[in-house]
Amino acid sequence: MALTEPTTREQAVTRQKWLTAATIGWNGVEGVIAIAAGLAAGSVSLIGFGLDSGIEVSAALILAWRLAQERRTGCKQEADRLAQRLIAVSFAALAVYVGVESVRDLVLADHPGQSLVGIVMAALSLATMPLLSRAKRRLAPLMGSRAVEAEANQTILCSLMSGALLVGLGANAALGWWWADPLAGLCIAAAAAYAAVATWRADSLADTCCS
């Protein structure tokens, strides 16, 4: 049976709590597997993807804190804004690390190994992340929370990273194009940098809970 769409702010907050828990669980497991597989294969894009999963967990925990603040004291715009800024910083940190490591691998011609585990994981993420992001984005207007929208944007960024990762790992495995892996890393870094700027500069949504 399909879940009914929330119609009140309280229902939206409850739904978001479940989506946040799902994000933490999925990305926690995904991050550990990706980093382990990336270290084993020497793949900068796979390690970067794993780190992004860790940042996804951090963003979800930030959002959980923001929702807890609302439960205790009602809508707090300053808490929402702080959550938004923290998520933006996490994007920026990922962009710097993966960008530097990708350039280093290209310059040094560091050939990564193949990773079937990484390919399967990237394909699963590419199939599931858009659905999770869409569900989160539907709640943002009802909740009047830029933090919810920013966290949904980070989830869709994970989908884009999954696509880049899948192409990079697949090209390396099927065609021996070692450079596809750090090139995928640069795509991940560029997407993260764009998201960092966009999230930091974003205006707040209509603050429906305080109107």
Side-chain angles (χ1 to χ4, degrees):
M1 180 180 296
L3 293 175
T4 58
E5 288 295 320
T7 57
T8 67
R9 181 172 173 75
E10 183 176 359
Q11 291 173 349
V13 170
T14 299
R15 177 71 59 84
Q16 179 60 41
K17 288 178 63 178
W18 283 106
L19 293 176
T20 298
T23 298
I24 293 171
W26 173 276
N27 285 283
V29 174
E30 182 182 74
V32 171
I33 295 174
I35 291 175
L39 290 173
S43 168
V44 64
S45 65
L46 193 49
I47 293 173
F49 184 79
L51 291 174
D52 173 71
S53 297
I55 293 173
E56 282 279 340
V57 172
S58 298
L61 290 173
I62 291 169
L63 185 56
W65 165 79
R66 181 250 185 263
L67 294 176
Q69 287 284 100
E70 178 180 324
R71 288 290 192 184
R72 287 195 300 267
T73 61
C75 180
K76 293 179 70 67
Q77 289 178 309
E78 60 270 22
D80 193 75
R81 187 65 170 174
L82 177 58
Q84 177 187 338
R85 290 293 175 87
L86 290 174
I87 293 171
V89 169
S90 71
F91 276 127
L94 177 66
V96 171
Y97 173 77
V98 177
V100 169
E101 289 298 308
S102 297
V103 170
R104 185 188 68 83
D105 282 0
L106 284 171
V107 171
L108 299 179
D110 192 359
H111 292 216
Q114 299 178 9
S115 178
L116 179 60
V117 172
I119 292 173
V120 172
M121 186 190 60
L124 288 174
S125 181
L126 186 60
T128 57
M129 286 296 103
L131 300 177
L132 187 58
S133 176
R134 190 177 303 117
K136 293 176 183 178
R137 190 180 294 277
R138 287 174 179 169
L139 300 178
L142 186 59
M143 294 178 65
S145 171
R146 174 59 70 177
V148 172
E149 186 177 26
E151 207 260 341
N153 288 341
Q154 188 152 342
T155 302
I156 200 61
L157 178 66
C158 184
S159 303
L160 299 176
M161 290 180 179
S162 300
L165 178 66
L166 187 59
V167 170
L169 296 178
N172 182 42
L175 304 173
W177 291 355
W178 66 267
W179 45 264
D181 184 86
L183 189 61
L186 287 177
C187 292
I188 290 172
Y194 173 81
V197 174
T199 302
W200 186 272
R201 292 181 175 177
D203 295 326
S204 295
L205 294 176
D207 197 358
T208 55
C209 61
C210 296
S211 58

